[in-house]
Amino acid sequence: MTQVISNSGHDDMIHDAVLDYYGRRLATCSADKTIKIFEIEGDTHRLTETLRGHEGAVWCVSWAHPKYGTILASSSYDGKVIIWRETNSQWQIVFTFTLHTASVNIVCWSPHELGCLLACASSDGRVSILEFKDNSWEHQLYPAHAIGVNAVSWAPAIAPGSLVSPSPGVGQVRRFVTGGSDNLVKIWDYNPELNTYQTTITLKGHTDWVRDVSWSPTILSRYYIASASQDKTVRIWTSDPSNPTEWKSTILTFDAVLWRVSWSLSGNVLAVSGGDNKVSLWKEDLKGKWECVKWIEE
């Protein structure tokens, strides 16, 4: 069943639309500098709130896990990240992060097991991590990709194979991946002794800007990262727990510039969208070969 919201209430192009954890609320954001919240019930929807606070086009919205309350993060061309919270049916700004000096292109919440952590990717070449701890917001800023950071995605909190590991002490991992205008994909690991994130692996292969990265959310036998580039390829990077520093890539070739990649919740189907307004779904067969299982055209 497909539901179309024909009258969004926005006065300009919509850049992102995200359902909350329960699928009952939709947040949309637009070049008109606003965010709109819709209540979704069955096949009906109604606009309940318009959030104003950004001074430029809003590129991205992201819901936090409900264990932290009704919290929404947004990022904008104005260089700001805003954290919004709803209490007693009233939305308010609880934190504004203003240390980026250029457009903040995407925000991404970590797996909830790791805490209330938000990664932000900016055109100023830096990635920031915001953390809500001890009733206040802390931040860390890192140089990431020289010309600009276009995407960020967290690894699942539990390492591949750890559920069946003979040593149950192998616990949660704080890792994320970034993609940038330097054509690179970088993996970052948290160092608890230094309380800092460091680039541990740089994945090379793309020949143009990396527009999106997505870390498969499920705890499969291996790590899977997908990266989409303006070089008209998607690379699917895989790593085995037995050799965590080695990453191999499979290349999927397309006829158009690619914008977004997104894994299914089960982690075994990859959606790819490009500049030709087509979406394709890809799945790995038993021999490890990736095949297109469906094309969706509008």
Side-chain angles (χ1 to χ4, degrees):
M1 183 183 74
T2 303
Q3 187 180 155
V4 178
I5 299 178
S6 52
N7 180 17
S8 69
H10 285 296
D11 299 325
D12 209 330
M13 184 180 291
I14 295 172
H15 291 294
D16 202 10
V18 185
L19 286 165
D20 72 356
Y21 181 83
Y22 300 109
R24 296 181 196 143
R25 281 182 165 174
L26 177 73
T28 62
C29 62
S30 164
D32 67 8
K33 307 176 186 175
T34 71
I35 298 155
K36 293 191 183 285
I37 310 291
F38 294 86
E39 297 274 356
I40 309 291
E41 283 183 33
D43 55 0
T44 65
H45 59 269
R46 64 187 180 90
L47 175 63
T48 58
E49 194 68 63
T50 299
L51 307 180
R52 294 179 173 88
H54 284 292
E55 296 158 42
V58 188
W59 303 130
C60 179
V61 281
S62 182
W63 295 95
H65 190 275
K67 76 185 267 188
Y68 299 112
T70 306
I71 293 177
L72 185 73
S74 60
S75 67
S76 165
Y77 181 77
D78 64 11
K80 288 196 266 190
V81 175
I82 298 180
I83 313 286
W84 312 78
R85 183 176 192 136
E86 186 202 39
T87 44
N88 302 323
S89 301
Q90 294 291 314
W91 284 91
Q92 60 189 41
I93 294 173
V94 292
F95 184 68
T96 303
F97 184 64
T98 58
L99 291 187
H100 284 292
T101 56
S103 172
V104 182
N105 301 314
I106 201 158
V107 285
C108 179
W109 292 100
S110 71
H112 67 88
E113 301 94 330
L114 301 179
C116 193
L117 294 153
L118 184 72
C120 318
S122 172
S123 293
D124 67 7
R126 297 180 295 174
V127 63
S128 58
I129 306 296
L130 309 184
E131 181 173 9
F132 187 71
K133 202 164 68 173
D134 303 326
N135 224 25
S136 67
W137 287 92
E138 301 174 1
H139 69 269
Q140 294 176 308
L141 268 170
Y142 302 99
H145 298 269
I147 319 171
V149 193
N150 300 319
V152 62
S153 177
W154 290 87
I158 301 166
S162 60
L163 292 181
V164 293
S165 168
S167 51
V170 181
Q172 296 173 348
V173 286
R174 282 193 188 188
R175 303 183 92 185
F176 61 87
V177 59
T178 56
S181 302
D182 54 5
N183 311 346
L184 299 176
V185 173
K186 293 184 178 182
I187 294 171
W188 301 71
D189 280 278
Y190 180 66
N191 183 325
E193 284 81 33
L194 300 174
N195 186 30
T196 187
Y197 293 85
Q198 298 165 326
T199 304
T200 49
I201 294 163
T202 299
L203 303 174
K204 300 176 181 177
H206 284 298
T207 58
D208 207 335
W209 288 18
V210 178
R211 280 290 180 185
D212 198 18
V213 287
S214 183
W215 204 311
S216 174
T218 16
I219 310 136
L220 302 166
S221 59
R222 297 185 290 172
Y223 275 131
Y224 288 81
I225 294 172
S227 56
S229 169
Q230 285 188 200
D231 65 11
K232 301 181 182 177
T233 69
V234 164
R235 284 181 179 253
I236 298 170
W237 310 85
T238 55
S239 172
D240 197 281
S242 62
N243 192 358
T245 58
E246 185 186 356
W247 288 78
K248 298 174 181 172
S249 76
T250 300
I251 302 172
L252 311 179
T253 307
F254 295 79
D255 296 327
V257 167
L258 300 168
W259 293 105
R260 297 298 296 267
V261 276
S262 179
W263 294 98
S264 63
L265 286 178
S266 58
N268 62 347
V269 177
L270 179 70
V272 180
S273 65
D276 54 3
N277 294 337
K278 295 176 184 175
V279 176
S280 54
L281 303 180
W282 297 77
K283 201 168 184 179
E284 187 179 24
D285 66 19
L286 296 173
K287 296 175 183 173
K289 189 169 178 286
W290 289 84
E291 54 187 6
C292 182
V293 292
K294 187 167 187 180
W295 279 95
I296 303 162
E297 296 183 37
E298 282 296 332

